[in-house]
């Protein structure tokens, strides 16, 4: 149960440290929120090594 309290505390800290002007600026950029961002080649790492996969 201590994990739940820790999560709540982290959420509260994040909420307290938000910058409303930065959020407003980000929202005004018109960036679509339902489209995933493109990943760089470095970010495109598999979670499981392809040689170990059995679902192919």
């Amino acid at each position: 149960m201590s994990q739940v309290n820790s999560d709540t505390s982290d959420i509260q800290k994040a909420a307290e440290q938000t910058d409303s002007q930065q959020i407003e600026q980000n929202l005004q950029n018109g960036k679509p929120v339902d489209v995933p961002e493109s990943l760089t080649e470095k970010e495109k790492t598999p979670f499981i090594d392809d040689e170990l996969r059995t679902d192919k």
Side-chain angles (χ1 to χ4, degrees), residues 39-50:
L39 298 176
T40 65
E41 286 302 316
K42 185 176 182 182
E43 294 170 328
K44 292 181 185 179
T45 56
F47 290 101
I48 300 173
D49 188 2
D50 277 341

Side-chain angles (χ1 to χ4, degrees), residues 9-50:
S9 177
D10 291 344
I11 293 169
Q12 287 174 340
K13 288 178 187 176
E16 292 168 359
Q17 295 174 2
T18 59
D19 181 3
S20 60
Q21 288 155 347
Q22 182 65 44
I23 294 171
E24 181 180 354
Q25 180 182 358
N26 291 346
L27 291 172
Q28 288 177 352
N29 288 341
K31 182 177 180 182
V33 293
D34 58 346
V35 178
E37 293 182 17
S38 298
L39 298 176
T40 65
E41 286 302 316
K42 185 176 182 182
E43 294 170 328
K44 292 181 185 179
T45 56
F47 290 101
I48 300 173
D49 188 2
D50 277 341

